[in-house]
Amino acid sequence: MYKGIVMRVAEEKDREDILHYLEENLQDCVYLYIDIMNYGIATDNIKVWLQEEAREIRMVVMKYYDSFQIYSRDAAFDVKAVQSLLEKYPVAMLSGKKDIIERLEKQCPEYEAAYGAVFLMDRYREVPAAVDICEAMESETREIAELICTDREIGRHYTREGLEAQLTERIHTHTGRSYIIRDKGRIVAHSATYAEAEGIAVVGGTIIAPEYRNSNFYMLLSNYMLQKLAEEGKMAYTFSLSEKMIRYHDLLHTKCGEYGKLVRRTL
């Protein structure tokens, strides 16, 4: 279907058309949408490509730090175009809706696939004001990154330095925030908005230090953040891979999509 149609680097004049293309199925491309809305088409850490046919967008790919976000409405998207980008930019991770990642998995043996669900976090419990939860500062992102990178599921595709840079940038530019709980001077629980824009946010990076996982820290952090976002009029999405977390969110929130990711295998 797409034979001979070349991916091209997006320009700033393409921004509004790309956003319109993405917003029709926001749950399948929420990171792409928020990052392009916040940062535009090209920064030091973002680059965007698109593929068109008869002046209509068929696929959008965004490189953000060391990952690709991919979106196409068409099941028969151009796999070879993505492979060509991977040859030039062998990123640590690719993510997108489930059917996209399933097709790429067959052609990318150097990557390992994982699949999960997207949830709209549309319910929460109010958290008592006395709970000792703090919004993190830029100076705390190194310790947060170190904690996240101890977890294979959510931290394996990051380097500590790379994740620290992302967390710091989000706090500095007000496009994300982190909430933490400390005990005996160290961070033992963390949750964040990994992306935020007007009316929308993505929650991620939630982790509790192993020795505190029988506590109520997860429930407190999650509900505290959702309460804050609701007060600001923001819808919150989250992505879950583990069966345990999918069951948890199924009980509380609305499932609105399926997604997958490919993580480069370590040698």
Side-chain angles (χ1 to χ4, degrees):
M1 181 177 178
Y2 297 103
K3 187 175 181 181
I5 303 175
V6 178
M7 294 283 287
R8 70 172 176 87
V9 175
E11 301 175 39
E12 190 58 36
K13 65 182 177 65
D14 300 311
R15 181 173 178 268
E16 290 305 314
D17 288 340
I18 292 172
L19 290 174
H20 287 313
Y21 178 72
L22 299 175
E23 67 188 1
E24 291 188 14
N25 296 287
L26 197 55
Q27 72 281 354
D28 293 325
C29 52
V30 62
Y31 274 117
L32 261 167
Y33 180 83
I34 293 177
D35 286 338
I36 292 173
M37 178 178 282
N38 282 336
Y39 301 116
I41 293 301
T43 70
D44 289 344
N45 299 309
I46 288 178
K47 191 168 186 177
V48 179
W49 295 264
L50 66 146
Q51 190 174 57
E52 300 165 297
E53 185 179 40
R55 296 186 178 181
E56 291 189 9
I57 296 174
R58 297 296 185 183
M59 179 165 61
V60 179
V61 179
M62 179 183 72
K63 182 179 181 291
Y64 179 73
Y65 282 87
D66 198 24
S67 68
F68 277 162
Q69 300 280 340
I70 305 165
Y71 176 69
S72 175
R73 295 177 194 162
D74 304 315
F77 75 99
D78 190 348
V79 173
K80 289 186 177 179
V82 178
Q83 287 180 293
S84 295
L85 288 177
L86 279 174
E87 290 174 5
K88 189 173 182 180
Y89 303 97
V91 293
M93 185 182 75
L94 302 87
S95 60
K97 60 179 182 173
K98 183 180 178 181
D99 61 349
I100 287 176
I101 299 303
E102 284 178 330
R103 286 196 63 206
L104 287 170
E105 180 185 7
K106 298 173 183 177
Q107 305 300 324
C108 300
E110 67 274 31
Y111 289 86
E112 181 180 351
Y115 296 96
V118 186
F119 291 91
L120 178 62
M121 303 177 80
D122 46 3
R123 285 188 290 171
Y124 66 91
R125 297 177 182 175
E126 290 193 9
V127 176
V131 172
D132 191 17
I133 297 173
C134 300
E135 187 167 349
M137 300 180 292
E138 292 179 40
S139 59
E140 296 173 298
T141 56
R142 177 170 184 161
E143 188 178 354
I144 293 169
E146 287 172 348
L147 177 61
I148 291 172
C149 287
T150 63
D151 186 272
R152 176 175 173 81
E153 182 178 308
I154 68 170
R156 62 176 291 198
H157 62 279
Y158 294 112
T159 64
R160 195 272 302 163
E161 295 82 4
L163 180 54
E164 179 186 355
Q166 291 184 42
L167 293 169
T168 300
E169 179 186 56
R170 291 172 195 145
I171 293 173
H172 184 73
T173 59
H174 305 288
T175 56
R177 66 187 100 170
S178 288
Y179 290 100
I180 56 174
I181 298 175
R182 285 188 177 272
D183 186 52
K184 298 176 183 177
R186 73 184 182 100
I187 297 172
V188 297
H190 167 265
S191 190
T193 54
Y194 271 4
E196 284 189 56
E198 184 176 355
I200 190 171
V202 180
V203 174
T206 304
I207 183 168
I208 312 299
E211 62 270 37
Y212 291 84
R213 288 179 183 169
N214 290 326
S215 71
N216 64 348
F217 286 174
Y218 179 89
M219 182 274 292
L220 290 172
L221 267 178
S222 178
N223 283 283
Y224 184 84
M225 176 171 289
L226 292 179
Q227 182 177 327
K228 290 289 186 184
L229 293 171
E231 289 169 357
E232 297 167 15
K234 292 186 176 181
M235 296 187 302
Y237 291 88
T238 196
F239 295 76
S240 295
L241 287 170
S242 74
E243 291 184 9
K244 178 181 177 181
M245 291 311 302
I246 290 172
R247 288 196 301 270
Y248 170 84
H249 287 297
D250 265 330
L251 292 172
L252 297 174
H253 304 131
T254 302
K255 182 179 175 181
C256 57
E258 294 183 311
Y259 84 108
K261 68 178 182 178
L262 294 173
V263 177
R264 183 172 283 278
R265 302 178 191 273
T266 53
L267 298 177

